[in-house]
Amino acid sequence: MKKSFIFIFVFGLMVSGSLFGQEIEVPLRFDRYYSYDQVNEAMQALHQKYPELSSLDLVGYSEEDRAIYALTISNPKTGDHLSKPGVYVDGNIHGNEIQAGEVCLYLANRLLTRYGENEQITSLVDKNSFYILPVVNVDGRYHFLEDANTSSSNRSIRRPKDDDRDGLFDEDFYDDLDGDGNICNMRKRDPNGTHRTDPYDPRLMVRVEPGEKGEWILLGREGIDNDGDGRINEDTEGYVDPNRNWGYNWKPAYIQGGAGYYPLSGTGLKAISNYLLDRPNVIVVWAFHNAGGMFLRGPSTKDESEFPSADLSVYDYLGDHSEMITPGYEYLVLWKDLYATYGDFTGFTSNIIGSYGFVGELFQSSSETYTLNENLIKPGERTQQQGKEDASHQRMLFNDHVTQGELYKPWTAFNHPLYGEIEIGGWTKMSSRLPHPFMLQDLVHRNASAVIFSATQTPEIKVELMDKEKIGKNLYQVRIRLVNDNAIPSQTYQSMKNKSHRKDILKVTGSSISVVAGGELRDKHMNQAVYKEHKPQIQFIHIPGFGKLEYQFLISGKGTVKVNYSSLKAKDQELEFNL
Ligand SMILES: [Zn+2]
């Protein structure tokens, strides 16, 4: 494997922050969310506790000059990290999707704390290199937790943009009118309104039917007209979508909203792109987002053709297992089952880095259940109870009785400068797309397990001498077998189709031998080999998943023969024998 020249800036973070007054300790805890600073402290704490198995790399800086870090986890005693199949995992590219960062931290914590204790994990840290970058959008994570937000706001790259074309940048954000740290909804009493109070839960509203009297008019998200242009909340942060700004199949904003002015205009994204280009050994990529409970594979758009069928078998194998590891999640295709995304991250990694890539959409709000017990329904209450069976009522009861009301803000009167007497209320910032902290442990463990499963399937090539036979004076027929017991081949078929990465090389050398002929052995019983015309001592090969490859060489001479297998993605192998 060719070792790229890499700049690794190991940055000595001061462990100065605190989590509820305590220093962050290893093993990390997953019953709460980490702030941006605490994520960095947690990575530093892991690295300090396991310096021999990890390195902490400064990848680059964001628009607002926040540092982006990645942990490399691999046992250097079993080889340089670039020599092993790389598994890259990141999260939180959208600023509000914070539990994705916790999945990454949990994976790092699990690999390091279970090394030497758990046989499977020990072997993975020996044979693989894990590149774990918990927070892609560091500004986004910082502002999501620090500022008032909805559960869906604050996704962008923090590059000011004049959304309403009035010459001012980001001048009409949401406003936390009641100062509770959430951007909720506004409503006003209006007999001609579009909604009325839900008969089963007065906190919810239902749309009025034609002919029905209304009760409420909805006024959107909490805010005022900051710039006096007659519109509210129309120029918030950005918007450049960090998952539409990558350097593969990028399209400008008139085709793909949030694309940015040119690919990789995001400074943090550019740094991460370079980080990945410096790691040509990466063969599996996971990018965690929220929400919905999905494992998405490419292609990202319809205009890209489908992946080669042999790659689909690999995706299906990993995707099907991920579904089973994470009950309720579905393995789907990005453009077909969700929507088209030009210039997205996994399009970049599948086509430029040459990896198998999954987007993990974490969390299903349907897991927030409060299912009524049929036996508790008294005669005559049937209709009343049935009304509470739908998802919105269940979630409200889940909020009331399982989180003690922490996910929903009750409607409260407020005097708005424009609308007068209104009410503010609704689902809070930490609801809807994020699990309540008590459910976080299960989410991070299962999703990290899907990553770990994919790592078990990275290529492990064994090179064997099948047989050697003297077939003439000083002439030998030598057969070599290359075996891969795992699902992932030594290179993606997409990268072979694109001709974007070199193939594996099988080389036969020796000081007192010469290779007369060499090529793939198609049928060993019929002795059918397809010999390469020039330089038979060097063969360009590719080893399938769950498969093998057999090569035949005719070698003249005597003495030691060296067989070298070299791959960008799989670990290099050597074999020596005598003639
Ligand atoms: Zn996302």
Side-chain angles (χ1 to χ4, degrees):
M1 211 171 265
K2 185 172 163 285
K3 185 172 172 175
S4 303
F5 187 54
I6 295 172
F7 293 97
I8 296 173
F9 303 93
V10 178
F11 183 78
L13 269 172
M14 297 297 289
V15 182
S16 56
S18 63
L19 194 65
F20 300 118
Q22 292 173 332
E23 272 191 7
I24 289 172
E25 283 175 11
V26 177
L28 304 178
R29 291 174 59 174
F30 292 91
D31 55 357
R32 61 188 53 154
Y33 290 103
Y34 291 83
S35 71
Y36 162 71
D37 287 328
Q38 288 165 344
V39 170
N40 291 344
E41 284 168 36
M43 291 167 84
Q44 175 70 8
L46 285 169
H47 171 56
Q48 276 183 346
K49 182 117 190 222
Y50 300 96
E52 72 287 0
L53 294 175
S54 68
S55 65
L56 182 62
D57 305 330
L58 176 62
V59 175
Y61 288 94
S62 68
E63 276 66 17
E64 293 186 350
D65 224 23
R66 287 190 181 83
I68 301 167
Y69 290 103
L71 272 171
T72 301
I73 296 177
S74 186
N75 179 7
K77 289 182 186 142
T78 53
D80 184 82
H81 71 94
L82 290 171
S83 71
K84 304 173 189 177
V87 178
Y88 171 90
V89 188
D90 77 22
N92 209 175
I93 192 170
H94 293 127
N96 60 322
E97 298 171 354
I98 60 167
Q99 79 267 49
E102 268 73 10
V103 170
C104 295
L105 283 182
Y106 183 85
L107 174 67
N109 182 76
R110 178 120 182 110
L111 294 173
L112 291 170
T113 59
R114 299 302 290 160
Y115 184 85
E117 308 280 333
N118 176 307
E119 209 178 301
Q120 193 184 115
I121 285 173
T122 306
S123 100
L124 292 181
V125 174
D126 285 342
K127 87 173 178 78
N128 288 107
S129 298
F130 291 88
Y131 303 109
I132 303 176
L133 196 155
V135 183
V136 173
N137 189 346
V138 286
D139 298 336
R141 189 181 185 94
Y142 173 83
H143 284 288
F144 181 75
L145 289 166
E146 200 68 18
D147 306 343
N149 276 295
T150 77
S151 62
S152 299
S153 61
N154 194 69
R155 296 165 61 76
S156 174
I157 288 179
R158 282 274 165 167
R159 174 160 297 168
K161 186 166 179 287
D162 179 11
D163 296 322
D164 57 348
R165 300 188 179 197
D166 62 356
L168 301 170
F169 291 76
D170 298 358
E171 80 291 352
D172 197 343
F173 268 72
Y174 304 108
D175 303 276
D176 184 12
L177 300 175
D178 57 3
D180 70 343
N182 299 298
I183 299 298
C184 290
N185 295 313
M186 305 189 290
R187 70 177 186 181
K188 186 175 171 64
R189 279 202 184 277
D190 184 344
N192 299 311
T194 53
H195 287 71
R196 61 182 170 81
T197 303
D198 184 300
Y200 302 112
D201 191 321
R203 293 168 294 183
L204 295 171
M205 289 172 285
V206 287
R207 186 170 271 283
V208 293
E209 299 293 329
E212 261 182 350
K213 257 297 181 221
E215 199 178 345
W216 301 101
I217 186 90
L218 309 188
L219 299 168
R221 299 295 198 180
E222 232 175 296
I224 57 171
D225 181 9
N226 302 80
D227 57 347
D229 66 351
R231 286 186 293 169
I232 291 178
N233 307 337
E234 83 289 352
D235 196 346
T236 64
E237 87 285 347
Y239 189 85
V240 178
D241 188 324
N243 202 30
R244 306 290 185 276
N245 189 239
W246 291 84
Y248 180 80
N249 203 21
W250 177 90
K251 300 281 185 210
Y254 61 85
I255 292 172
Q256 174 75 76
Y261 294 128
Y262 56 90
L264 294 175
S265 56
T267 56
L269 303 185
K270 181 72 165 63
I272 294 168
S273 167
N274 288 341
Y275 176 88
L276 274 161
L277 289 166
D278 283 342
R279 285 157 181 77
N281 55 319
V282 169
I283 189 153
V284 177
V285 164
W286 288 84
F288 285 102
H289 293 239
N290 77 28
M294 293 176 276
F295 296 114
L296 298 158
R297 70 156 172 90
S300 308
T301 60
K302 194 180 179 179
D303 59 12
E304 295 168 62
S305 54
E306 180 60 288
F307 290 138
S309 61
D311 276 344
L312 295 184
S313 307
V314 178
Y315 276 111
D316 290 352
Y317 188 79
L318 299 177
D320 290 346
H321 277 272
S322 300
E323 275 188 351
M324 291 186 273
I325 291 167
T326 312
Y329 283 42
E330 280 186 279
Y331 159 56
L332 300 168
V333 181
L334 262 165
W335 74 266
K336 196 150 60 78
D337 301 317
L338 196 66
Y339 40 70
T341 49
Y342 291 94
D344 70 357
F345 176 64
T346 48
F348 165 77
T349 57
S350 300
N351 290 286
I352 307 294
I353 305 300
S355 316
Y356 292 98
F358 284 97
V359 171
E361 293 282 0
L362 302 164
F363 182 65
Q364 296 182 295
S365 61
S366 58
S367 63
E368 296 183 332
T369 55
Y370 199 79
T371 311
L372 290 170
N373 183 341
E374 289 285 326
N375 298 328
L376 294 179
I377 301 174
K378 298 189 187 81
E381 277 189 350
R382 185 70 211 148
T383 321
Q384 174 74 10
Q385 294 296 349
Q386 270 174 333
K388 293 185 178 174
E389 290 287 323
D390 72 41
S392 57
H393 293 99
Q394 281 214 9
R395 279 188 68 212
M396 200 58 99
L397 295 171
F398 175 89
N399 165 66
D400 292 343
H401 305 311
V402 188
T403 76
Q404 294 74 47
E406 290 183 353
L407 303 179
Y408 190 88
K409 161 112 184 160
W411 293 99
T412 314
F414 183 81
N415 192 2
H416 191 277
L418 179 68
Y419 298 128
E421 285 306 320
I422 62 161
E423 289 185 2
I424 294 172
W427 295 100
T428 60
K429 173 169 83 173
M430 300 301 281
S431 74
S432 308
R433 301 172 67 124
L434 298 166
H436 188 277
F438 89 87
M439 295 167 82
L440 184 60
Q441 175 86 26
D442 182 80
L443 180 144
V444 295
H445 180 84
R446 286 186 188 277
N447 283 280
S449 296
V451 175
I452 288 172
F453 178 80
S454 72
T456 66
Q457 296 305 313
T458 54
E460 267 180 286
I461 311 303
K462 283 177 283 215
V463 183
E464 301 162 357
L465 177 63
M466 287 167 69
D467 58 50
K468 53 178 182 180
E469 192 187 334
K470 193 165 187 195
I471 56 170
K473 190 171 182 287
N474 270 346
L475 188 66
Y476 292 84
Q477 175 188 281
V478 171
R479 288 173 171 179
I480 306 290
R481 182 185 289 137
L482 300 108
V483 184
N484 179 13
D485 288 331
N486 297 339
I488 299 177
S490 62
Q491 183 178 359
T492 71
Y493 291 84
Q494 179 77 353
S495 70
M496 287 197 286
K497 191 178 97 182
N498 290 348
K499 295 187 164 54
S500 56
H501 294 75
R502 76 155 170 88
K503 294 185 82 173
D504 301 346
I505 295 170
L506 185 68
K507 206 167 167 183
V508 179
T509 56
S511 55
S512 54
I513 60 129
S514 85
V515 178
V516 178
E520 191 181 348
L521 181 61
R522 295 278 168 85
D523 189 321
K524 65 182 173 194
H525 307 290
M526 308 282 275
N527 197 23
Q528 287 173 353
V530 184
Y531 290 129
K532 181 164 165 265
E533 199 177 339
H534 300 290
K535 293 196 177 181
Q537 70 275 23
I538 298 174
Q539 302 284 337
F540 301 104
I541 65 172
H542 169 263
I543 302 157
F546 295 136
K548 66 170 170 48
L549 208 59
E550 292 170 346
Y551 268 73
Q552 179 159 295
F553 295 93
L554 303 182
I555 302 174
S556 76
K558 266 199 169 322
T560 306
V561 178
K562 272 191 178 173
V563 178
N564 289 90
Y565 164 78
S566 129
S567 169
L568 274 179
K569 307 287 182 188
K571 197 159 197 290
D572 295 354
Q573 302 294 330
E574 263 178 37
L575 179 72
E576 238 182 68
F577 58 90
N578 286 308
L579 292 179

